[in-house]
Amino acid sequence: MKLNRIGAGALLAVGLLLAACGTPTPAPAAPAATAKPAAKQVKVAVVMPSASNDGAFSQSMYDALKAVQASMGGEAAMKIAVSEGMVQVPNAVAAIRDYAQQGYDLVIAHGTQYGNSLTEIAKDFPNTAFAWGTATDTFAAAGVKNVFAYNPRAQEGGYVLGVLAAKMSKSGVIGVCGPVEAGDAKTYVDGFKKGVMDTKKDAKINVTYTGSFSDVSLMAAAAETHTKAGADILTGSSQSVVGAIGVAKDKKAIWFGTQANQTSLAPDTVGASQVYDWTGVIKEMLDLSAKGTKGGKAFELSLQSGGLKIVYNDKVSIPADAKAAADAAIKGIIDGTIKPLP
Amino acid sequence: MNELFTVPVLLGILYSGVRLATPYLYAALGEMFAQRSGVVNLGVDGIMLMGAFAAFFVVSNTGNLLLGVLAAMLVGLLMGLIMSFVSVNLQAEQGISGIGLYLFGLGLSSLLFKKLSVSTRAIEGFPALPIPVLSDLPEIGDVFFKHNILVYIAFALVPVAAFVLNHTTLGLKVRAAGMKPEAADSLGVSVARVRYLCVTFGSMMAGLAGASLSIGLINLFQENMTSGLGFIAVALVYFGGWTPLGVMIGALLFSMVNALQLWVQVKAIPIPSDLAVMLPYILTIAALVLGRRARQPAALSKPFSRGEN
Amino acid sequence: MQRAKVLFERSLSALTPFLAVLLALAVGAIMLFALKVDPITAYGALIEGAFGSPFALAQVLVKATPLLLVGLGICIAFRGGVINIGGEGQIIVGALATAAFTLALPQAPAIVLLVGGMLCGMLAGGIWGGIAGALKARFGVNEILTTIMMNAIAAQLANFLLRGPMIDPIEVKNGTMLAQSARLPELSWLPKLVPQTLLHAGAIVAVIMAVVVYILLWRTVLGYRIRAVGLNAEAARFAGIRVPVYQALALLLSGVMAGLAGSVEVLGVSHRMMDGVSGGYGFSGIVAALFGKLHPLGAIPASALFGSLLVGADKMQRAVQVPSALIDALNGLVVLFVVSSDILVRRRAQRRKAAERKS
């Protein structure tokens, strides 16, 4: 009883103390809005479902925005605002509307699930450019003029990495660690499988899905299962692949990544990554928007447009013939002689 | 289907099952002590995340695995003290305070990860430690005796936990606090102290469970990397009927079915992947329906205050 | 005199959650300091984000709607002495069933779509909660275990249906293959209450359900028995109440409410079934119910309070650009403080009772 009261008292005291030291401090970090830049600052906001350091989908967009910012001359030229972890649509909607209201020039809804609501918001802010992906519909048919759409053709890089995997596998067994059998995870895996099969008919591709984008430990178990089944090359998609990359490193298998450049996670294990490079898309959207075109264009991230890049890791040696085959595949996909999907 | 029931596959299932079971085992054994003393701690997942981050962060910066384990346990201890204070002194509704602790751990671990880790790369985690002689046994050696030390410790803790619970005075006090706190109190046992001890110990184990993931199994950290694993661990305590052996059986069953469903996918047996992933959850429920069920500690999740009951 | 005392106690009891929230935010200020963010600016944004504009207020109610519905289910479960951590799964199956029903009848009139859709959601949620209830009643399987497992099963069921039988044909045509259903027929959308916001008629449905649950629990035999079982199972047994049956019913009804929450989210907000519909409401609904002292009517303001906190926190994230993880941590603190603050109220009530006994 006495203990209880002391506890409650202590809690109260700590709280009040904190509240007290919280109040009198002047604002140390004034919002950037107060500092007036010389040239007109471009303001870009992005709303995304996972964290900006997820090593995958959200990070690819965040990194691209940072790169564009750097190329434009830093914060004075371009302001970036991020709302991450917006799994729920209502939260994202509030964020998108809020950014539009605050006069952001471009508001990026980085998640397919936001599309429905975006049409309605876009109508209310005709002078703001919106973008959403991964998607192919700009809602032009519904009379919306200020929405861009973007979609990565994940199968293209998947195909190329599949070619590399087929050339480099010594055991002839390749493991694919998928999250949920849908979206760009599925198209990537389908492309990868076709790349392997077109290169090496007798190769064996084992595919698993964990049914989750975040279950890291099951992803690790999946990778382990693949290596037990003889795989010496692994690949996979989503932020949960960190689990599989750790296992690949442990078992001395080679990993091929997608979405973001995963080399830094395990520099001696990652052979190559398909990187979603949104910088071209972002720049073009900003250009169009500055010229008065606020939407209506659907961008495809592809090998041809340069939005998809195969990034090699110097620390993992790739045989010359494998690299040549991959280059040939890239060429074939660009000129249309190779179809990356079955 | 026949392809699935071959010796290498079965051995693979056993091997993965043992490894996957490790984090569940740590977390569930700890939670079992908390529950035996009368406190449900639903915050296990959040504590695991904090432990996983602490271990990964320390090992990333120092390369010292032992320090990493200690850091995870220390973080678990602190989280455990919070849970103890809230549920023992403040007598809060445990089902809810646990969710609060979970959210706190989930958020704080991600926040720290974001702010403290400049670049993330896989660390050198605990290496496999083959046990002399035993690891040379044909087949069995690979499956059971070529794991990292955290795996061995987890399984070694099962008999230790059973002994402490059933054959020591401390164990008696723990059981009394969870079954009949009034009686324990009248015999001079400090129910509050016992519960503090058990909840804090359980949280340290949860921290260790997190470490067994981030520096034992995966060697990386990722936001929300447990992805609800801690909740499954809590469920396994119920499955195991509040006994260490039962908890171990539950952890192994769940993990092995999970390993099995991965093999089902690898062997391209035509079952949709999502339905395969469901298997461990369904079988865990089914096993409990068909199997033996134990009575829960009578005072579970009931706060105790002297002289008012 | 006595009356004034009781009144004082009541108002104190209603005020404590607010005070606890303030204390939690005070502790949260440390984290903000550590992130080099001025707490005054941050919390100013939080308040502005929740109450600063009509849109903000509407947003709070949009959030409060599923919180209230799930919270009502939690009230029933708690009153019946059982714990339902399966809200997430029940929301998912409710949303799935609603989407499937409305998509199957694209030509039906609005009333059929809306009422039928919600009934389907309630049915599915009820089945999901009822399975946990039945297993507890018939086999003594603990409901915490079943509801946790059923959450995972529901998530996989959604994956399976949304990338297979229920996938949006457009996704297949475009080759993007996202796991989401087609858009529901427009007639099935819950009407908007305020244009240019997301606020939809589901909020009214939720408030009506709060009254219904109140009547159910306090004005019907079924409710009386559920509460009797929750208060003292032993005594209820002696009084001839079949305890397991009523515990199972409590879980079932709890699932019905969560299923309805899924329905309302699909019909009112997302207009299609997709990943993330449950969005943690299964857990935060538990918290909302607690804020409302596990009383169906108390859950109404409580879910609005918690909703405003969630909405305001998002605005704070935008205004001072803190990671979203901070918001989770802050919410966790708020839950811990509120649940702990309950002791102040209980102590006071106990002391008063003790004093009455003495006099």
Side-chain angles (χ1 to χ4, degrees):
Chain A
M1 180 69 205
K2 201 170 164 203
L3 197 64
N4 294 337
R5 243 193 265 172
I6 295 170
L11 210 66
L12 202 75
V14 170
L16 288 177
L17 202 68
L18 289 168
C21 41
T23 35
T25 30
T34 52
K36 267 264 180 292
K40 193 193 171 293
Q41 187 193 33
V42 180
K43 299 204 293 180
V44 180
V46 60
V47 177
M48 44 200 197
S50 48
S52 60
N53 62 340
D54 69 349
F57 184 64
S58 293
Q59 182 163 358
S60 69
M61 178 54 83
Y62 184 74
D63 289 351
L65 282 168
K66 282 286 181 197
V68 172
Q69 186 186 45
S71 77
M72 286 176 69
E75 210 143 334
M78 178 178 160
K79 180 184 176 186
I80 303 173
V82 181
S83 281
E84 53 173 17
M86 297 282 115
V87 181
Q88 288 164 281
V89 174
N91 303 0
V93 168
I96 295 166
R97 193 173 271 278
D98 194 34
Y99 285 129
Q101 228 148 26
Q102 287 179 38
Y104 276 78
D105 302 285
L106 173 65
V107 181
I108 303 172
H110 195 50
T112 317
Q113 60 269 43
Y114 309 148
N116 279 344
S117 319
L118 193 61
T119 48
E120 291 165 31
I121 304 173
K123 280 180 193 158
D124 294 340
F125 298 93
N127 296 320
T128 307
F130 295 90
W132 76 301
T134 56
T136 52
D137 185 5
T138 64
F139 308 117
V144 179
K145 293 195 178 67
N146 54 335
V147 173
F148 294 109
Y150 52 83
N151 179 49
R153 289 196 200 147
Q155 63 271 23
E156 296 192 351
Y159 187 94
V160 177
L161 295 179
V163 170
L164 277 172
K167 286 278 179 194
M168 289 170 67
S169 174
K170 295 192 178 72
S171 66
V173 182
I174 292 156
V176 179
C177 309
V180 179
E181 209 172 337
D184 68 339
K186 179 174 168 55
T187 52
Y188 170 76
V189 171
D190 287 349
F192 184 89
K193 284 202 299 206
K194 184 141 191 291
V196 174
M197 291 327 269
D198 285 358
T199 314
K200 197 172 182 179
K201 288 238 152 33
D202 58 342
K204 198 158 171 41
I205 312 171
N206 298 322
V207 184
T208 55
Y209 287 95
T210 59
S212 157
F213 291 102
S214 59
D215 196 332
V216 178
S217 57
L218 195 57
M219 201 49 115
E224 211 168 73
T225 308
H226 284 304
T227 56
K228 284 264 168 191
D232 57 352
I233 306 234
L234 296 174
T235 188
S237 171
S238 93
Q239 62 265 35
S240 63
V241 293
V242 296
I245 295 174
V247 171
K249 178 180 148 80
D250 215 33
K251 306 279 180 199
K252 309 268 184 284
I254 291 175
W255 175 265
F256 288 113
T258 183
Q259 295 183 324
N261 185 354
Q262 290 166 341
T263 301
S264 64
L265 289 171
D268 47 0
T269 304
V270 178
S273 305
Q274 158 171 255
V275 177
Y276 293 179
D277 182 356
W278 307 101
T279 49
V281 175
I282 296 169
K283 277 185 186 156
E284 199 175 336
M285 287 194 293
L286 287 174
D287 281 350
L288 285 173
S289 162
K291 286 178 193 139
T293 310
K294 305 288 179 188
K297 187 167 179 190
F299 297 92
E300 289 274 351
L301 225 54
S302 62
L303 292 169
Q304 184 177 20
S305 73
L308 293 181
K309 288 202 175 87
I310 304 296
V311 180
Y312 292 97
N313 172 15
D314 304 335
K315 295 238 178 70
V316 175
S317 70
I318 309 247
D321 72 314
K323 216 162 196 168
D327 288 343
I330 293 174
K331 231 178 121 235
I333 292 169
I334 289 176
D335 65 24
T337 51
I338 292 176
K339 294 262 168 292
L341 278 183
Chain B
M1 202 63 166
N2 282 334
E3 228 187 315
L4 196 61
F5 296 105
T6 58
V7 173
V9 170
L10 291 178
L11 290 173
I13 290 174
L14 286 175
Y15 174 82
S16 297
V18 167
R19 265 168 71 94
L20 259 185
T22 304
Y24 292 110
L25 201 48
Y26 279 117
L29 278 178
E31 174 73 7
M32 186 208 71
F33 271 97
Q35 293 204 4
R36 283 305 279 262
S37 80
V39 180
V40 173
N41 181 1
L42 279 183
V44 174
D45 207 51
I47 303 169
M48 284 178 69
L49 283 167
M50 288 295 290
F53 174 74
F56 178 76
F57 179 71
V58 168
V59 174
S60 285
N61 285 296
T62 66
N64 188 327
L65 291 165
L66 191 65
L67 270 185
V69 168
L70 288 177
M73 290 176 76
L74 180 69
V75 166
L77 178 110
L78 291 175
M79 297 281 279
L81 286 176
I82 297 178
M83 185 67 193
S84 306
F85 180 65
V86 167
S87 45
V88 176
N89 296 345
L90 302 182
Q91 308 191 349
E93 179 59 59
Q94 290 161 13
I96 294 166
S97 56
I99 289 172
L101 195 68
Y102 159 63
L103 282 174
F104 180 65
L106 170 70
L108 195 59
S109 61
S110 309
L111 187 64
L112 292 172
F113 175 54
K114 201 159 198 183
K115 288 293 158 190
L116 296 179
S117 301
V118 187
S119 73
T120 317
R121 69 170 47 186
I123 46 133
E124 292 296 333
F126 280 100
L129 184 75
I131 293 180
V133 186
L134 289 176
S135 62
D136 296 333
L137 290 173
E139 315 296 1
I140 303 289
D142 272 353
V143 171
F144 295 111
F145 303 109
K146 275 189 188 159
H147 291 285
N148 69 52
I149 188 158
L150 290 181
V151 177
Y152 301 134
I153 293 178
F155 283 87
L157 277 172
V158 173
V160 175
F163 178 80
V164 170
L165 200 58
N166 297 319
H167 300 287
T168 64
T169 332
L170 180 65
L172 186 67
K173 285 181 184 169
V174 171
R175 284 179 288 140
M179 289 304 264
K180 283 223 171 346
E182 302 83 12
D185 184 60
S186 65
L187 289 172
V189 175
S190 166
V191 174
R193 201 175 297 166
V194 169
R195 288 186 174 178
Y196 249 89
L197 185 74
C198 287
V199 172
T200 311
F201 170 75
S203 301
M204 285 168 73
M205 295 289 276
L208 197 54
S212 78
L213 277 177
S214 68
I215 62 173
L217 186 65
I218 290 157
N219 301 338
L220 268 166
F221 184 83
Q222 165 77 273
E223 179 169 316
N224 189 22
M225 76 185 289
T226 54
S227 172
L229 203 151
F231 286 95
I232 301 292
V234 174
L236 290 177
V237 175
Y238 291 92
F239 181 93
W242 295 271
T243 67
L245 187 67
V247 164
M248 185 184 81
I249 292 171
L252 280 173
L253 174 80
F254 185 83
S255 310
M256 282 183 186
V257 177
N258 236 333
L260 168 79
Q261 66 90 2
L262 287 170
W263 277 102
V264 166
Q265 295 191 47
V266 164
K267 291 291 176 193
I269 288 164
I271 298 175
S273 59
D274 334 87
L275 302 187
V277 174
M278 275 185 206
L279 261 182
Y281 303 95
I282 294 176
L283 283 184
T284 308
I285 297 178
L288 203 55
V289 168
L290 301 173
R292 178 189 63 93
R293 281 167 306 273
R295 271 182 152 250
Q296 69 176 44
L300 189 60
S301 83
K302 293 194 179 75
F304 172 73
S305 52
R306 284 178 105 164
E308 279 164 24
N309 292 329
Chain C
M1 187 57 202
Q2 198 58 36
R3 251 216 156 128
K5 240 183 182 171
V6 171
L7 197 69
F8 174 71
E9 219 163 77
R10 286 254 168 95
S11 47
L12 182 80
S13 147
L15 268 178
T16 2
F18 288 93
L19 293 174
V21 169
L22 289 181
L23 274 182
L25 293 182
V27 175
I30 307 185
M31 293 196 282
L32 287 167
F33 265 124
L35 292 169
K36 301 191 177 59
V37 172
D38 173 31
I40 304 285
T41 319
Y43 288 146
L46 190 147
I47 291 166
E48 193 211 322
F51 308 107
S53 66
F55 180 81
L57 286 171
Q59 197 65 22
V60 167
L61 297 182
V62 171
K63 277 255 151 184
T65 301
L67 286 175
L68 175 54
L69 285 169
V70 174
L72 290 173
I74 299 299
C75 288
I76 302 175
F78 259 95
R79 294 284 172 183
V82 283
I83 300 172
N84 177 14
I85 336 189
E88 288 287 298
Q90 293 149 9
I91 294 171
I92 291 174
V93 292
L96 276 173
T98 304
F101 175 82
T102 50
L103 286 170
L105 300 171
Q107 306 299 331
I111 185 81
V112 173
L113 288 172
L114 282 172
V115 175
M118 286 195 239
L119 284 176
C120 281
M122 291 164 84
L123 181 70
I127 291 174
W128 225 244
I131 290 176
L135 290 176
K136 184 180 175 76
R138 179 70 186 76
F139 300 102
V141 179
N142 186 287
E143 75 275 13
I144 292 188
L145 178 142
T146 0
T147 48
I148 288 175
M149 299 285 170
M150 297 288 281
N151 281 344
I153 296 172
Q156 294 311 320
L157 184 68
N159 278 345
F160 172 69
L161 290 175
L162 292 178
R163 65 176 187 80
M166 279 176 74
I167 193 170
D168 187 350
I170 296 170
E171 288 295 325
V172 180
K173 198 182 113 235
N174 290 347
T176 36
M177 301 307 281
L178 279 151
Q180 58 178 19
S181 79
R183 224 171 195 219
L184 307 191
E186 228 164 291
L187 277 177
S188 73
W189 298 2
L190 279 163
K192 276 203 174 160
L193 297 182
V194 184
Q196 300 205 353
T197 69
L198 292 179
L199 184 57
H200 55 84
I204 299 172
V205 173
V207 172
I208 293 173
M209 288 316 286
V211 177
V212 170
V213 170
Y214 171 73
I215 294 171
L216 175 96
L217 280 176
W218 270 274
R219 294 284 183 274
T220 68
V221 179
L222 172 66
Y224 167 77
R225 290 188 176 159
I226 288 178
R227 284 188 300 122
V229 167
L231 269 177
N232 190 336
E234 209 57 35
R237 209 184 326 267
F238 277 119
I241 298 176
R242 288 160 69 196
V243 173
V245 172
Y246 286 92
Q247 284 180 332
L249 276 174
L251 277 169
L252 184 143
L253 289 171
S254 191
V256 165
M257 288 296 144
L260 181 59
S263 252
V264 164
E265 280 302 282
V266 165
L267 297 174
V269 180
S270 62
H271 300 150
R272 66 169 83 206
M273 177 57 191
M274 57 194 172
D275 191 32
V277 162
S278 62
Y281 290 127
F283 289 112
S284 40
I286 300 179
V287 179
L290 170 90
F291 279 23
K293 306 279 175 214
L294 299 169
H295 191 288
L297 300 180
I300 300 175
S303 46
L305 171 73
F306 199 50
S308 61
L309 198 70
L310 294 176
V311 172
D314 275 349
K315 170 77 185 181
M316 181 175 107
Q317 193 207 340
R318 289 195 291 281
V320 292
Q321 289 288 305
V322 286
S324 61
L326 175 80
I327 309 298
D328 282 330
L330 211 55
N331 280 335
L333 279 179
V334 168
V335 173
L336 280 171
F337 273 76
V338 171
V339 75
S340 303
S341 71
D342 218 31
I343 192 166
L344 297 175
V345 182
R346 262 180 289 139
R347 285 266 174 263
R348 192 163 262 282
Q350 271 167 6
R351 234 171 291 148
R352 179 172 57 87
K353 271 185 199 143
E356 273 167 19
R357 246 178 271 142
K358 264 181 208 157
S359 61

